[in-house]
Amino acid sequence: MTEYSRLKTSRSAAIRATLDYPVIDTDVHTNDFTPAFEDYIAKYGGVKLVDELRKTEASRLNSKSNGKDWYQQTPEERQYNRTIRSPWWARVTKNTLDLATYTLPGLLYERQAEQGSDYSVLFLNNVLAPAGASAENRQALQRAVNHYHADIYRKYSDRLTPVAGIPLTTPQEGIEELEFAVKTLGLKVINITGGVKRPIKAIADKYPADKFPEIAKYASYIDFYGLDSEYDYDPFWAKVVELGVPVTTHYGSQGWTGRSSISNYMNNHIGHFADGSEAFAKALFFGGVTKRFPQLRVAMLEGGADWGARVYIHLVDRFSKRNIKALENYNPALTNADELFEIFERYGAEVTQGHSLDKDELTKTVLGASFSRHSRAPIGSELDDFAAAGIETIEDIRDRWVNSFFFGSESDDRTIATAFNDKANPLGVKINAIYSSDVGHWDVPDLTSPLAESWDLVQEGVISEADFKSYVFANPYKFYTQANPEFFKGTAIESKVGNTEFKQVDKSLVVA
């Protein structure tokens, strides 16, 4: 009989044994055993929901043109249709034990110690498949999926918790599913898409989707919920805060400009989670969501943490040049026409030879497009891109970016050093990088490796031991408990943190 316990040979288990704090993994991917899953869905809502699930799964996994996916098309057809390449061999399969582990809740629970984890948040690979379902079946299917996952993982809740998928086509739909997931099912983390695709109305009105489906496929934009949305999502964010729910997303940008190769999956893949999550996070920031809901906690996963630091730095830099007072440096009305004319008289003869301009004409000419390209000047808040976010100081940027957002960084991601570089990050802050192993996907061929790979970064001097502690414990703990102080009640984490001294500083958790 095969011996499945490898605790004695797991580097991650050995490292965990040396730590005086628990390890919280925010990104574990699991699969459902399809026959049991579909039986549950059918009993829950009928065969039509199973058919809907299968359609959404097929649509999500395959980019099709003329009824053929990429692998069925010839190179000429791919070029003609511009069919984006989807991944091949995207799951761990050679490691048979791990393949079974991601599908069997009891085995995953048993192997937590081998992985070096004390608590894992689970992202079922089809948890958000219902988001692509028809309007008629979307909510019923999402409810069935969430109910199934709540049921099969309930008895493992001291170490494992599944996320609830929440569709956000409208804020009301999101509120209804949020309340059901939390109040009825007892789920306590939600997973959303970082945006929803909507038709461009000016084009949709002229070319209705039922008559021009190919046009409708491309004539769309992405609503990121916080900025320029057709809907007011504040009631949804308010409900999230009221119920004490941390928000997570794996939001990618494959298919966007620059990520639409018809031949190379890696070209489309590298950096796409960071791009997608950046668009989502900036919409919440500039739309004032993090100002109006300072208790909201959002984690963007699989994109790394370095982009969180980069955007934070750029926000501070841009604000210093483009805040409402600094904008006066670029106000055409403040150009001194007399001084400009005098300078041109002294130094401009070579350039202006043959052109006789008075001072007003000269000013308009030199200002060029800055003076004349717009029919009118911006009015009020139109001038200030930071107005809705309520930014008056760089401390406001810190509070509404650094405090609100957490960034899932995978175990071997060396760019995490950027997040912890408090010398480069304004105000000496460290970005909230959180341990996100991503086990269950192709980038983790052995689930016992990630914690050890993260510890390698300490040994190589990429991050410090204190940063490692923040990464695998303090930051994830802060993410969940700042949203819901009772999040870890009754879990393995509750008993372990009782032996660790904590203190509150500036309303943020610091491990002493």
Side-chain angles (χ1 to χ4, degrees), residues 96-234:
T96 307
L97 176 58
D98 280 7
L99 176 63
T101 301
Y102 304 138
T103 311
L104 302 173
L107 182 56
L108 176 63
Y109 181 82
E110 183 179 303
R111 297 187 71 200
Q112 283 282 281
E114 187 179 347
Q115 189 189 358
S117 293
D118 295 89
Y119 192 85
S120 294
V121 177
L122 310 181
F123 293 83
L124 310 306
N125 279 334
N126 57 16
V127 70
L128 275 174
S134 65
E136 176 187 2
N137 295 317
R138 185 171 56 244
Q139 285 188 272
L141 180 57
Q142 186 69 71
R143 194 162 290 193
V145 169
N146 288 340
H147 214 147
Y148 177 73
H149 294 146
D151 282 354
I152 65 169
Y153 286 101
R154 187 170 286 112
K155 67 179 179 180
Y156 306 108
S157 61
D158 62 322
R159 291 184 178 273
L160 305 175
T161 190
V163 299
I166 304 296
L168 279 178
T169 304
T170 68
Q172 184 57 37
E173 178 183 38
I175 290 170
E176 291 172 6
E177 295 317 302
L178 175 65
E179 290 189 316
F180 180 79
V182 175
K183 294 181 179 180
T184 302
L185 302 181
L187 296 172
K188 53 188 181 180
V189 189
I190 64 171
N191 186 28
I192 65 173
T193 60
V196 60
K197 185 177 289 188
R198 303 195 194 279
I200 298 173
K201 289 183 176 179
I203 299 175
D205 287 348
K206 188 173 182 180
Y207 302 100
D210 57 340
K211 295 181 180 179
F212 303 94
E214 288 302 313
I215 293 178
K217 180 180 177 180
Y218 297 103
S220 62
Y221 74 100
I222 301 174
D223 181 346
F224 297 108
Y225 313 125
L227 186 67
D228 308 325
S229 177
E230 291 184 26
Y231 294 88
D232 177 9
Y233 277 89
D234 274 9

Side-chain angles (χ1 to χ4, degrees), residues 8-51:
K8 293 182 180 179
T9 60
S10 166
R11 280 210 304 142
S12 291
I15 289 167
R16 171 63 189 90
T18 68
L19 306 178
D20 62 356
Y21 48 87
V23 172
I24 302 170
D25 190 344
T26 291
D27 193 17
V28 171
H29 292 274
T30 61
N31 306 318
D32 292 313
F33 181 63
T34 301
F37 182 48
E38 291 188 348
D39 283 349
Y40 190 98
I41 301 297
K43 291 176 183 178
Y44 198 96
V47 176
K48 68 175 184 179
L49 286 189
V50 177
D51 291 340

